[in-house]
Amino acid sequence: SHRAIKSVSGAVSVSVDAVDNELTGGGVLLDSAMKKRLGIRVREAFIKLASEGDLNAAFELFLGCLEGRWDDWSDKEAEEWLQKAAELGHANAQYLYAVSWQHPVRLGGVFEDKAAKWFSISSENGNANADVGLGLLAQQPASGEPDHAKALFYFRQASSRGNRIGDALVGMCYELGLGTAINLKEAEHFYRRAIDGGFDNNPFALPGMPLSQEEAAIEALANAATSLGTFVLNRSEPGLKETAEVKEALAMYKMGAEAGLDEAAFLLGVLFQKGGQVEKDERVAFGWLKKAASVGHVESQFLLGWNYEHGVGVAQSDGNAMDWYNRAANQGHVRSLVNLAFMLREQKDYG
């Protein structure tokens, strides 16, 4: 156990479980009391190393607090060790410390200047996630006008460092003409880089990363897949079913939809409901539309209402039709409001 604890200074992630596994392999079993005592020794070793300037030990102390390795440590102490690791030069700690300044629940207010400061420091230490953070600050400032050219600079830098979220965001800039001229060829190039290998190896899936950041990264990849699907589908010759382009577009839309992007599920629903480029399948279409409608996609809610009203892909139900029309109408969808008014005027039963 002494050897395992000493290895912290070599940037090895050490925990009580790691030491327990080492001892178990040698025929030594630890009960809960022994684990607790060992945990205290590990913690003390980390504290000593961190006080001597070991940035990895400081970061391990932050993670230990965050993961509940020690019962008597608080969120406040986790924040203090994160700051310590950041100040000592730990690039991931610097990035996470910057992110912490963007969460008002944790720190009592959003401090964009402090977030920008620590993103910049982390970026200078080669952290590509920090590049993404700086780009998003430029693109979506708390006040003032967005600086899309600056955002694109940082997204490009993240991309050049192999960051897939950077790839996705550069692609978005080219697709929408943000900070550069619209260039769909370049957009497709960067989108393909972003989704290469699927959604595994999310660069934002880091220890200590807030869930909201991981979800935002997945959304960026899902958007990249969905846009790529549309690019490819637009190249397919109309009227021909199941071409190579259509199959690739379906795969891209499914990738986006399964990652939770409502627009991708909607596009799948429309494809299967219309037929033409795929075999028409109204039941499959209904399933994808319901997936999108259930999370608030207004056009999907309208189409679900229409499908229920006319019994397309599902048993006819005036009550369900009116329910979905009403949900869409509450979001300002005019056609849903009109259809709902007609159904009410005809005095159809609700339910």
Side-chain angles (χ1 to χ4, degrees):
S1 62
H2 179 65
R3 178 173 60 81
I5 293 171
K6 283 186 68 178
S7 66
V8 182
S9 59
V12 177
S13 178
V14 178
S15 66
V16 175
D17 288 338
V19 177
D20 186 19
N21 290 338
E22 181 179 328
L23 293 176
T24 301
V28 180
L29 298 178
L30 299 180
D31 60 24
S32 58
M34 292 172 68
K35 282 188 178 183
K36 186 171 184 179
R37 289 196 297 272
L38 182 57
I40 294 172
R41 289 184 61 192
V42 170
R43 183 179 69 184
E44 289 173 348
F46 281 139
I47 291 173
K48 182 176 185 300
L49 288 166
S51 67
E52 295 171 352
D54 190 305
L55 52 85
N56 293 303
F59 192 62
E60 280 294 325
L61 285 164
F62 158 67
L63 293 179
C65 295
L66 204 66
E67 296 167 1
R69 297 180 199 168
W70 306 296
D71 296 337
D72 57 338
W73 284 46
S74 65
D75 289 342
K76 182 176 182 295
E77 286 165 303
E79 187 72 30
E80 289 171 353
W81 283 117
L82 177 61
Q83 181 178 352
K84 176 75 171 176
E87 290 171 347
L88 287 172
H90 194 289
N92 276 343
Q94 291 164 345
Y95 170 76
L96 292 171
Y97 191 50
V99 170
S100 75
W101 286 105
Q102 295 182 300
H103 287 72
V105 173
R106 289 180 62 188
L107 293 170
V110 175
F111 297 90
E112 194 168 276
D113 57 336
K114 289 188 179 292
K117 170 190 170 182
W118 284 102
F119 278 142
S120 295
I121 293 171
S122 183
S123 172
E124 289 167 4
N125 284 329
N127 190 302
N129 284 340
D131 297 329
V132 172
L134 286 168
L136 292 175
L137 282 179
Q139 193 175 74
Q140 304 164 15
S143 60
E145 294 297 316
D147 188 337
H148 293 300
K150 184 177 182 181
L152 179 57
F153 169 82
Y154 283 114
F155 295 154
R156 279 185 173 281
Q157 184 160 287
S159 173
S160 71
R161 288 171 165 168
N163 187 284
R164 298 171 63 207
I165 310 307
D167 291 331
L169 293 171
V170 172
M172 177 196 69
C173 289
Y174 275 118
E175 180 183 4
L176 303 178
L178 301 176
T180 185
I182 291 175
N183 187 326
L184 298 186
K185 183 177 180 180
E186 282 294 293
E188 181 171 339
H189 167 72
F190 280 98
Y191 283 151
R192 287 191 181 279
R193 284 179 45 161
I195 65 167
D196 184 32
F199 289 178
D200 294 333
N201 301 317
N202 179 358
F204 280 65
L206 297 171
M209 178 71 77
L211 182 60
S212 61
Q213 298 293 108
E214 290 189 48
E215 291 173 344
I218 291 295
E219 184 178 355
L221 294 175
N223 275 312
T226 303
S227 289
L228 181 56
T230 299
F231 292 167
V232 172
L233 191 64
N234 288 341
R235 292 201 293 268
S236 178
E237 189 172 340
L240 293 182
K241 283 184 169 62
E242 303 296 338
T243 63
E245 291 86 357
V246 170
K247 290 178 180 177
E248 184 180 5
L250 285 174
M252 294 299 100
Y253 286 160
K254 286 178 181 177
M255 187 182 293
E258 288 165 1
L261 189 66
D262 56 1
E263 181 68 13
F266 166 72
L267 291 170
L268 282 167
V270 170
L271 268 178
F272 282 107
Q273 184 146 323
K274 285 184 175 180
Q277 292 173 300
V278 298
E279 288 296 331
K280 189 172 184 176
D281 191 326
E282 292 170 344
R283 292 185 66 83
V284 170
F286 180 85
W288 286 115
L289 291 172
K290 189 169 185 180
K291 181 179 178 69
S294 298
V295 292
H297 191 278
V298 67
E299 284 293 334
S300 297
Q301 291 175 339
F302 165 73
L303 285 176
L304 274 191
W306 191 90
N307 286 358
Y308 270 117
E309 182 181 3
H310 299 282
V312 174
V314 68
Q316 197 279 336
S317 169
D318 288 346
N320 284 329
M322 295 175 76
D323 177 48
W324 285 106
Y325 281 148
N326 187 56
R327 295 192 201 192
N330 285 338
Q331 294 195 68
H333 194 274
V334 175
R335 286 180 296 166
S336 294
L337 184 60
V338 170
N339 287 9
L340 183 60
F342 272 116
M343 292 187 76
L344 289 170
R345 190 177 68 181
E346 294 171 6
Q347 298 183 336
K348 294 190 174 183
D349 293 332
Y350 192 100

